[in-house]
Amino acid sequence: MSARLAKGEKLPPVLLPGIAQTAIEAYLVASGDDNPLHRDPELALAAGLADVPVPGMLVLAHLAEYLGQWPECRRIAALSGRFVSPVLVARPIRIEARIMAIDTSAGTATLRITAAQEDRLAVLAEARLLVRLEGRLAQAAP
Amino acid sequence: MIGVAATQPVGRFPVGTPSAAVARFREAIRLGGTPATRGDAVPPTFPITWLAAPAVRSALAAALGGSVPESGTALIHLSQRIVLQRALALDTTYWLDVALVTGEPARGFALEATVTDAQDQPVASLAGRFAVVHRPAP
């Protein structure tokens, strides 16, 4: 995964085939999350959802993994996400990111990341990354 | 926006990054079957697991008047912020100071937490907002 290290550049998008119930279950066990909303379709329906929702933090963790695969990323220093609408089980998810700012003195880049499902924004996130700046800064646009 | 309201301390808890738990978590968040990005690193979202620890949950339930978040409470996670002053180290014990943010959201709760090391140096901070889903009457 490559993208020029320049403000406004986009990272290559990723289309996930969807997060299966078994993957949700593995995350719930690994994270200690016992929220029944992620296991019980009837409860999800009663809460007004069309299906079982994927834990928001699992989606945010996927966004972090996505950023971590960017070769310019040394480490994620900050990550925040707003769970705008539910990501539902077993439906494709599209992840995109754009570089919003670069701080050469701090060696950081700020990115806005989105996760969308069926053209609906699900997670709006922002991350501050420590990046590899050595000789890799793109020429600033005139 | 989190951080402008008053906070109510919930407690101070020892937490950690045991290799086995981190490996299990890393495996669970792999992106579409690709290898984990850094096999030796603690994922930046791993600290969320600390909020599910029984001692933290019990203290939270008590601070919230016993209504939430008892085990099995249905919650909707509205937002989450994680700031890492430095990377978390494997097999290391930290201290987690948890506080309730009073007054928001109306039908849920908000948390702030700070993570410090054994020398009481800041390592990370967390802030999250949650809404409570009430089960329909049978």
Side-chain angles (χ1 to χ4, degrees):
Chain A
M1 180 164 69
S2 64
R4 289 194 321 151
L5 192 50
K7 182 180 175 182
E9 282 290 307
K10 292 180 179 176
L11 274 60
V14 167
L15 184 65
L16 299 181
I19 299 174
Q21 187 63 50
T22 51
I24 292 176
E25 189 61 37
Y27 178 79
L28 295 176
V29 170
S31 66
D33 188 343
D34 63 359
N35 188 346
L37 203 57
H38 303 303
R39 292 187 167 112
D40 183 346
E42 287 186 14
L43 181 59
L45 287 173
L49 304 175
D51 208 336
V52 168
V54 176
M57 284 306 298
L58 175 53
V59 182
L60 199 59
H62 280 331
L63 299 189
E65 287 290 292
Y66 166 72
L67 294 172
Q69 291 179 358
W70 185 33
E72 314 296 347
C73 176
R74 288 174 46 221
R75 180 170 80 74
I76 295 175
L79 178 65
S80 61
R82 194 158 58 86
F83 307 116
V84 178
S85 63
V87 170
L88 300 179
V89 62
R91 291 164 174 80
I93 303 164
R94 182 179 176 84
I95 299 174
E96 298 178 327
R98 178 191 288 265
I99 302 171
M100 305 305 290
I102 295 174
D103 184 336
T104 52
S105 59
T108 62
T110 301
L111 288 90
R112 180 165 299 159
I113 316 102
T114 59
Q117 200 172 50
E118 296 168 349
D119 293 329
R120 177 176 39 81
L121 177 64
V123 181
L124 178 61
E126 186 169 291
R128 183 163 45 84
L129 311 183
L130 301 181
V131 292
R132 298 180 174 87
L133 289 174
E134 306 83 15
R136 306 190 71 152
L137 268 180
Q139 292 292 321
Chain B
M1 188 76 182
I2 294 170
V4 294
T7 58
Q8 170 192 342
V10 170
R12 183 172 170 84
F13 309 91
V15 294
T17 53
S19 297
V22 171
R24 198 163 47 241
F25 185 83
R26 207 163 37 214
E27 180 66 21
I29 64 169
R30 281 197 310 155
L31 188 62
T34 60
T37 48
R38 282 188 54 199
D40 61 336
V42 178
T45 57
F46 183 78
I48 202 71
T49 66
W50 297 335
L51 297 178
V56 176
R57 294 280 291 267
S58 295
L60 271 174
L64 287 161
S67 54
V68 287
E70 294 168 340
S71 178
T73 300
L75 300 174
I76 294 177
H77 206 154
L78 301 174
S79 66
Q80 184 65 48
R81 185 184 73 215
I82 300 170
V83 177
L84 297 159
Q85 278 87 1
R86 54 188 159 92
L88 296 167
L90 269 179
D91 293 318
T92 302
T93 298
Y94 298 100
W95 287 99
L96 180 74
D97 286 278
V98 181
L100 273 176
V101 181
T102 57
E104 66 167 305
R107 293 173 57 200
F109 59 96
L111 298 176
E112 290 186 347
T114 56
V115 182
T116 49
D117 64 13
Q119 287 73 46
D120 210 28
Q121 295 301 303
V123 176
S125 62
L126 313 174
R129 298 175 70 233
F130 303 83
V132 179
V133 177
H134 295 284
R135 286 178 181 275

